[in-house]
Amino acid sequence: MIPFLDLKAINQQYRQALIQAATRVIDSGWYVLGQEVKAFEQEFAAYCGTLHCVGTANGLDALVLTLRAWKELGKLKEGDEVIVPANTYIASVLAITENRLKPVLVEPDKSTYNLCPQKVRDAITQKTKAIMAVHLYGQLAPMGAIMEIADEHQLLVLEDSAQAHGASIDGRNAGSWGHASGFSFYPGKNLGALGDAGAITTNDFELAQTVRALGNYGSLNKYENLYQGLNSRLDEMQAAMLRVKLQYLDADTMLRKQIAVAYAKGINNPLVIKPIASDATVSSLHNHVFHLFVLRVKHRSAFQSFLKAAGIETLIHYPIPPHKQYAYSSYSDLNLPLAECIHQEVVSLPIGPTMSMRDVSNVIESVNAFAV
Ligand SMILES: *Cc1c(COP(=O)(O)O)cnc(C)c1O
């Protein structure tokens, strides 16, 4: 069986270093908001090219707390509209509605699955106050154009970089384009902890401090509460794990790209649409960090069964768009045919830094052998 992602094999590579780091935390006697978190925040900010990083308990909280902080700072208020791609993972939308802001779901660009600048422009109203730019599948949204639109209309830009650690345009990394960015370090993400973890990055010190306070009961100084906060902190153990794995992120990304290039070259089944990089990144496929390698296939369930019979595990990212979820039943009448078509046709092939080139060849052969 070729698994979709072999997390055990991925973490086995760093077993000794992870054990050493865990031992360091155990022996320190200090488990929440200590030296490991501080060091990781500095290292990850440097990696992204931002001045600040603040750890959170998970990626959803990173997005929730950033929007909440903008509310506390008077930059957003209840009912403000936030433009977000309709085909994103539901967490992007949850962060908006959790803050009683209004998600304005827009159709994506059909070739990159990311935001389309023109469609963003078309969605702007008097109430629009922010854009959530999701870097879906590991490729940056067209951030140059998005920041231009944001400047013109004085909108805040929050990147959802949960799938795009290290992805870049013109050498500028995910997390450094918007006014702030949320990251997830869920185990299956490109930079994955050994449990839940997340962070925000920003160059805005006031925002960073507000997020830091909100995730710590609303407090920066012990027992002094500025806000009615919550508890959402990156813990020392996960920070220590992430410090080990951050050192190997670029090498892991290179391995993902090699697989993606092999898939892109090898797959030639006319029933299958391959991912393409946007104009901004087409010259350098490497700007896409291939968190996922997503195909579109009209006969998707037959395709998945065919690959399964060949011993290849595939997944769907994502089977149901947010506006068709029960949780968002009031959005179900929205007219988003492109997003719905994407959700009906996408299927993700196995990809990960420990996948062997032999397995990659097997996947290519099986994909090319599929017929209806
Ligand atoms: C994983 C993910 C999140 C949420 O991160 P968690 O750490 O799982 O809470 C948000 N947005 C996108 C696009 C994601 O892929």
Side-chain angles (χ1 to χ4, degrees), residues 57-63 88-93 132 134-137 160-163 182-187 189 195-198 291-292 318:
N58 54 66
L60 173 58
D61 282 1
L63 300 172
T88 186
Y89 180 55
I90 197 161
S92 317
V93 185
M132 184 164 327
V134 183
H135 308 314
L136 204 65
Y137 305 151
D160 179 343
S161 304
Q163 303 188 357
F183 283 89
S184 166
F185 309 117
Y186 178 77
K189 300 291 160 87
D196 274 313
H291 173 57
L292 298 169
Y318 297 90

Side-chain angles (χ1 to χ4, degrees), residues 3 9 26-27 49 67 80 103 154 157 198 221 253 276 280 291 311 315 335 337:
I26 293 165
D27 292 349
L67 294 172
D80 283 349
Q154 296 182 335
V157 176
N221 296 318
T253 300
I276 52 166
H291 173 57
L315 294 178
N335 182 32

Side-chain angles (χ1 to χ4, degrees), residues 43-235:
E43 289 158 12
F44 195 65
Y47 180 83
C48 294
T50 59
L51 295 174
H52 312 290
C53 169
V54 181
T56 58
N58 54 66
L60 173 58
D61 282 1
L63 300 172
V64 169
L65 291 175
T66 303
L67 294 172
R68 169 84 188 271
W70 277 332
K71 284 172 75 186
E72 298 290 353
L73 293 169
K75 296 187 175 181
L76 291 177
K77 59 177 190 317
E78 263 187 49
D80 283 349
E81 292 179 1
V82 181
I83 292 173
V84 61
N87 59 318
T88 186
Y89 180 55
I90 197 161
S92 317
V93 185
L94 290 172
I96 297 169
T97 56
E98 172 65 22
N99 277 292
R100 298 180 184 281
L101 301 162
K102 185 170 177 255
V104 175
L105 302 168
V106 297
E107 294 268 54
D109 179 288
K110 200 176 180 177
S111 55
T112 63
Y113 312 112
N114 272 328
L115 279 177
C116 160
Q118 189 53 49
K119 290 173 191 160
V120 169
R121 275 186 196 283
D122 294 345
I124 293 174
T125 71
Q126 291 293 338
K127 288 181 134 184
T128 308
K129 290 290 160 353
I131 301 170
M132 184 164 327
V134 183
H135 308 314
L136 204 65
Y137 305 151
Q139 176 170 227
L140 286 199
M143 291 311 293
I146 288 171
M147 294 315 293
E148 235 171 69
I149 296 169
D151 284 349
E152 249 172 68
H153 296 267
Q154 296 182 335
L155 307 176
L156 294 163
V157 176
L158 173 55
E159 300 174 66
D160 179 343
S161 304
Q163 303 188 357
H165 318 75
S168 65
I169 298 176
D170 298 336
R172 210 170 140 187
N173 277 5
S176 71
W177 282 90
H179 301 104
S181 173
F183 283 89
S184 166
F185 309 117
Y186 178 77
K189 300 291 160 87
N190 283 24
L191 177 59
L194 277 71
D196 274 313
I200 74 140
T201 55
T202 183
N203 288 323
D204 179 345
F205 177 70
E206 195 183 28
L207 177 70
Q209 287 296 80
T210 309
V211 168
R212 199 178 283 292
L214 284 170
N216 190 36
Y217 319 109
S219 169
L220 284 173
N221 296 318
K222 206 165 189 183
Y223 306 130
E224 285 175 28
N225 295 76
L226 299 164
Y227 308 106
Q228 296 171 19
L230 37 101
N231 179 346
S232 177
R233 303 176 294 216
L234 174 61
D235 66 62

Side-chain angles (χ1 to χ4, degrees), residues 2 254-263 352-365:
I2 301 175
M254 286 311 297
L255 294 167
R256 284 177 180 274
K257 282 174 205 160
Q258 276 174 23
I259 296 167
V261 168
Y263 280 160
T354 61
M355 199 178 167
S356 72
M357 278 301 164
R358 206 174 127 254
D359 284 349
V360 172
S361 302
N362 284 339
V363 172
I364 293 170
E365 269 174 40

Side-chain angles (χ1 to χ4, degrees), residues 20-42:
Q20 264 176 23
T23 305
R24 196 170 67 224
V25 174
I26 293 165
D27 292 349
S28 75
W30 193 275
Y31 308 111
V32 173
L33 296 189
Q35 290 311 311
E36 298 291 338
V37 167
K38 197 171 174 186
F40 174 72
E41 287 177 344
Q42 284 170 1

Side-chain angles (χ1 to χ4, degrees), residues 265-279:
K265 282 193 182 147
I267 294 172
N268 56 20
N269 187 329
L271 296 173
V272 166
I273 299 171
K274 292 182 280 190
I276 52 166
S278 68
D279 288 350

